[in-house]
């Protein structure tokens, strides 16, 4: 049951707000079509859906139009929910209190590209994959790589990471500046365009990871990196998840500069085989996938170092591919993982996808315990993860309220263990609606009160994506 937030009275005040937005921005700027409302309030791959939809969806074309929408909604005290790629799994764009969903569909342009400065300025609905494809001739790329549908706005909102995080870090490490529309319609720029600055508070860090609860990001300047001279992709199997996790953490602790270390369990490998999308048959065993990148000699040295650690942890022979086309096939098993799992759902069944992260030394323990609990659950579920930085995911298919209760207990047990190991309830998915209950246990009431103070100073009427991350 959602608790009514201060000064939000969903209902009639939305009608004059919709009418005014329509008058100021034009008839194509806002929709109340049933299909649009459902698409912007419900997600078939989210672990959390609620029985409520937005009352309207706005489609701004510029920062100025976003500011108009915010000003009008602020005037009538109407909630606002940012929406870009729609790939959230924790209910980030659910319309907890109705209101207006603001879809950045029409803001998908590269504003400026500065190869000489190694940065790029983009709008929130730019696809990271398309952006990289368009700039690759420059020898540069954006190294953060979450799921294929992700857009820059959502990536900033959740401080996403992806398979390259073990080498390149997370989204916050690549944001130079942001243009943000505040809940009352004011527009701010967090800083200028140098790669570093000591001028004032780090507003980039404040808005990155705030899950749309503090303002709308309408433009972002992002750092770029050089495409490595040489690359390689490798894989190896293990008899147990603990052996695989031990190998992964030892590789990182020894400072071997791998580009990615990804773990897929036996169930996930079997799913990939059944889908047949990768062009080969894989062993149904816990499997580590690696990316190697750097100079030619450096890559060869790194491969040999990894090969030794794999052997010491009872892994199979490390299979390495340096031909680009064959690399794509080898790595496709990892990139096909979630989508393959979703395709296994029977009609009417639901999916629960979640993640946690822990310090490297605790990863083998948590992976082993969580895998055992997942197997005991008796439902169709798998584990995979960016284990090079202590982050892993579970995806479980279920049907009906009784099975949901079982899945909920399994997931919550994993989260509580992660926090007790000085970890986090989410390494990259974010809090949204789904993980609010763990916030106090993880960060403490003192930190939560500071967050609430920041929220109230920018959004005193609690209009920006209300009901997410924490409650008043």
């Amino acid at each position: 049951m959602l608790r009514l937030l201060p000064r939000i009275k969903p209902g009639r005040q939305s009608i004059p707000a919709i009418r005014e937005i329509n008058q100021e921005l034009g008839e194509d700027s806002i929709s109340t079509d049933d299909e649009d409302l459902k698409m912007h309030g419900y997600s078939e791959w989210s672990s959390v859906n609620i029985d409520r939809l937005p009352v309207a969806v706005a489609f701004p074309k510029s920062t100025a139009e976003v500011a108009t929408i915010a000003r009008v909604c602020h005037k009538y005290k109407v909630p606002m929910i940012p929406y870009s790629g729609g790939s959230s799994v924790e209910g980030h764009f659910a319309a907890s209190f109705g209101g207006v969903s603001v879809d950045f569909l029409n803001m998908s342009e590269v504003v400026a590209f500065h190869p000489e400065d190694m940065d790029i300025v983009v709008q929130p609905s730019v696809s990271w994959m398309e952006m990289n494809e368009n700039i690759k001739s420059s020898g540069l790329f954006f190294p953060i790589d979450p799921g294929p549908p992700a857009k820059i706005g959502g990536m900033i909102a959740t401080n996403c990471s992806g398979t390259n995080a073990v080498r390149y870090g997370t989204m916050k490490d690549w944001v130079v500046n942001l243009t943000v529309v505040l809940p009352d319609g004011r527009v701010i720029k967090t800083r200028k365009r140098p790669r570093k600055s000591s001028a004032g508070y780090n507003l980039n860090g404040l808005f990155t990871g705030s899950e749309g609860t503090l303002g709308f990001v309408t433009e972002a300047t992002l750092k770029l990196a050089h495409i490595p001279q040489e690359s390689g992709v490798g894989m190896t199997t293990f008899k147990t998840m603990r052996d695989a996790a031990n190998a992964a953490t030892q590789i990182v602790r020894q400072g071997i500069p791998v580009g990615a270390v990804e773990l897929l369990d036996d169930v996930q490998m079997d799913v990939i085989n059944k889908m047949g999308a990768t062009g080969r048959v894989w062993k149904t065993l816990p499997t580590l996938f690696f990316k190697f990148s750097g100079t030619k000699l450096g890559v060869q040295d790194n491969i040999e170092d990894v090969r030794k650690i794999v052997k010491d942890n009872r892994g199979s022979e490390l299979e390495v591919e340096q031909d680009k086309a064959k690399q794509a096939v080898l790595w496709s098993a990892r990139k096909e993982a979630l989508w393959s799992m979703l395709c296994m759902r029977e009609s009417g069944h639901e999916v629960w996808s979640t993640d946690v992260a822990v310090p490297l030394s605790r990863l083998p323990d948590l992976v082993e315990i969580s895998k055992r609990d997942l197997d005991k659950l008796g439902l169709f579920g798998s584990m995979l993860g960016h284990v090079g930085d202590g982050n892993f995911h579970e995806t479980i298919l279920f049907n009906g309220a009784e099975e949901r209760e079982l899945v909920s207990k399994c997931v919550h047990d994993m989260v509580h263990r992660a926090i007790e190991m000085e970890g986090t309830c989410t390494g990259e998915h974010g809090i949204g609606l789904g993980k609010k209950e763990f916030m106090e246990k993880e960060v403490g009431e003192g930190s939560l009160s500071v967050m609430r103070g920041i929220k109230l100073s920018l959004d005193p009427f609690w209009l920006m994506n209300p009901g997410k991350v924490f409650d008043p």
Side-chain angles (χ1 to χ4, degrees):
M1 184 76 175
L2 287 167
R3 184 157 57 96
L4 195 64
L5 296 177
R7 304 176 192 176
I8 291 181
K9 298 176 181 177
R12 292 182 181 176
Q13 77 274 29
S14 298
I15 297 172
I18 293 168
R19 186 182 300 120
E20 192 165 325
I21 292 170
N22 207 348
Q23 289 171 348
E24 293 213 29
L25 303 184
E27 290 186 5
D28 63 344
S29 65
I30 198 158
S31 170
T32 56
D33 179 79
D34 287 345
E35 285 302 310
D36 280 339
L37 300 184
K38 182 177 179 181
M39 186 181 81
H40 290 80
Y42 172 85
S43 170
E44 65 175 6
W45 57 55
S46 177
S47 305
V48 183
N49 281 297
I50 60 173
D51 190 21
R52 185 160 201 166
L53 297 175
V55 297
V57 182
F59 297 94
K61 300 181 181 69
S62 66
T63 296
E65 292 194 358
V66 177
T68 296
I69 293 166
R71 175 176 51 78
V72 172
C73 287
H74 188 267
K75 173 182 174 181
Y76 293 101
K77 307 300 181 284
V78 174
M80 298 167 274
I81 309 103
Y83 183 99
S84 58
S87 57
S88 159
V89 298
E90 294 292 354
H92 290 93
F93 59 85
S96 307
F97 298 89
V100 176
S101 175
V102 181
D103 189 336
F104 291 96
L105 174 69
N106 297 321
M107 296 179 66
S108 57
E109 298 296 319
V110 172
V111 178
F113 177 36
H114 307 113
E116 67 281 4
D117 295 323
M118 298 175 64
D119 71 43
I120 191 167
V121 186
V122 298
Q123 293 181 316
S125 266
V126 165
S127 157
W128 70 271
M129 292 186 70
E130 290 179 10
M131 179 177 71
N132 274 342
E133 182 65 25
N134 291 337
I135 66 173
K136 69 180 181 181
S137 61
S138 69
L140 300 172
F141 81 122
F142 184 64
I144 307 302
D145 70 330
K151 305 293 177 64
I152 295 298
M155 292 164 67
I156 292 169
T158 56
N159 185 32
C160 78
S161 50
T163 63
N164 290 341
V166 67
R167 176 162 183 165
Y168 292 102
T170 64
M171 194 72 190
K172 65 179 172 57
D173 303 307
W174 294 84
V175 174
V176 176
N177 65 47
L178 300 170
T179 299
V180 181
V181 174
L182 298 179
D184 60 4
R186 287 177 293 158
V187 180
I188 66 167
K189 190 92 166 180
T190 55
R191 59 179 46 174
K192 297 290 187 181
R193 206 165 49 87
R195 286 204 154 204
K196 61 187 292 189
S197 171
S198 295
Y201 291 1
N202 180 10
L203 296 182
N204 287 342
L206 178 63
F207 289 103
T208 302
S210 65
E211 302 189 18
T213 61
L214 300 179
F216 295 105
V217 172
T218 60
E219 196 173 283
T221 302
L222 307 172
K223 291 186 282 188
L224 301 173
H226 277 287
I227 297 172
Q229 176 189 62
E230 182 78 6
S231 62
V233 171
M235 60 79 61
T236 182
T237 59
F238 296 83
K239 291 184 178 179
T240 69
M241 293 288 280
R242 174 174 277 276
D243 285 342
N246 274 329
T249 55
Q250 286 175 30
I251 288 164
V252 175
R253 280 200 297 265
Q254 290 192 21
I256 302 170
V258 288
V261 188
E262 298 290 303
L263 172 61
L264 278 66
D265 72 358
D266 55 324
V267 175
Q268 187 64 69
M269 298 308 296
D270 188 44
V271 168
I272 292 168
N273 281 340
K274 288 176 179 175
M275 295 306 298
T278 64
R280 62 175 285 179
V281 177
W282 307 83
K283 292 181 180 178
T284 52
L285 291 169
T287 303
L288 281 181
F289 287 87
F290 302 94
K291 281 184 185 177
F292 302 95
S293 59
T295 64
K296 191 165 188 175
L297 288 176
V299 167
Q300 289 304 318
D301 287 345
N302 296 338
I303 288 171
E304 292 310 310
D305 290 340
V306 168
R307 183 169 276 129
K308 182 178 184 306
I309 291 174
V310 166
K311 184 178 180 182
D312 290 345
N313 286 277
R314 296 173 290 280
S316 66
E317 179 62 26
L318 180 67
E319 178 184 342
V320 179
E321 186 54 68
Q322 287 172 295
D323 175 84
K324 297 290 185 187
K326 293 179 180 178
Q327 278 182 20
V329 172
L330 200 57
W331 193 251
S332 66
R334 170 60 187 95
K335 297 308 279 186
E336 292 284 340
L338 176 59
W339 317 115
S340 297
M341 194 72 180
L342 293 178
C343 288
M344 298 296 291
R345 281 182 299 178
E346 295 180 25
S347 177
H349 286 204
E350 298 178 78
V351 61
W352 193 311
S353 181
T354 191
D355 79 316
V356 293
V358 291
L360 286 177
S361 62
R362 302 309 308 271
L363 181 70
D365 295 331
L366 188 58
V367 164
E368 182 177 51
I369 296 168
S370 299
K371 176 62 175 173
R372 185 171 65 233
D373 282 0
L374 187 60
D375 289 344
K376 283 166 51 180
L377 191 60
L379 300 175
F380 196 66
S382 72
M383 288 176 59
L384 59 90
H386 319 308
V387 289
D389 55 6
N391 180 210
F392 70 90
H393 307 246
E394 285 188 353
T395 303
I396 308 169
L397 307 185
F398 64 94
N399 183 31
E402 186 176 340
E403 289 187 357
R404 173 174 273 277
E405 282 298 312
L406 295 173
V407 174
S408 177
K409 183 180 185 306
C410 179
V411 169
H412 289 193
D413 287 347
M414 178 180 71
V415 170
H416 286 301
R417 287 192 200 100
I419 294 173
E420 288 160 6
M421 292 177 177
E422 298 183 272
T424 176
C425 65
T426 175
E428 61 181 9
H429 285 183
I431 298 296
L433 285 174
K435 288 188 171 176
K436 288 194 299 183
E437 64 185 282
F438 305 113
M439 283 290 285
E440 184 174 352
K441 181 175 182 179
E442 179 167 332
V443 305
E445 180 53 40
S447 292
L448 270 182
S449 68
V450 172
M451 293 182 196
R452 289 191 183 100
I454 294 170
K455 169 73 170 172
L456 285 168
S457 70
L458 294 175
D459 186 16
F461 299 107
W462 220 270
L463 300 177
M464 281 299 309
N465 213 7
K468 317 300 165 53
V469 186
F470 51 82
D471 292 326

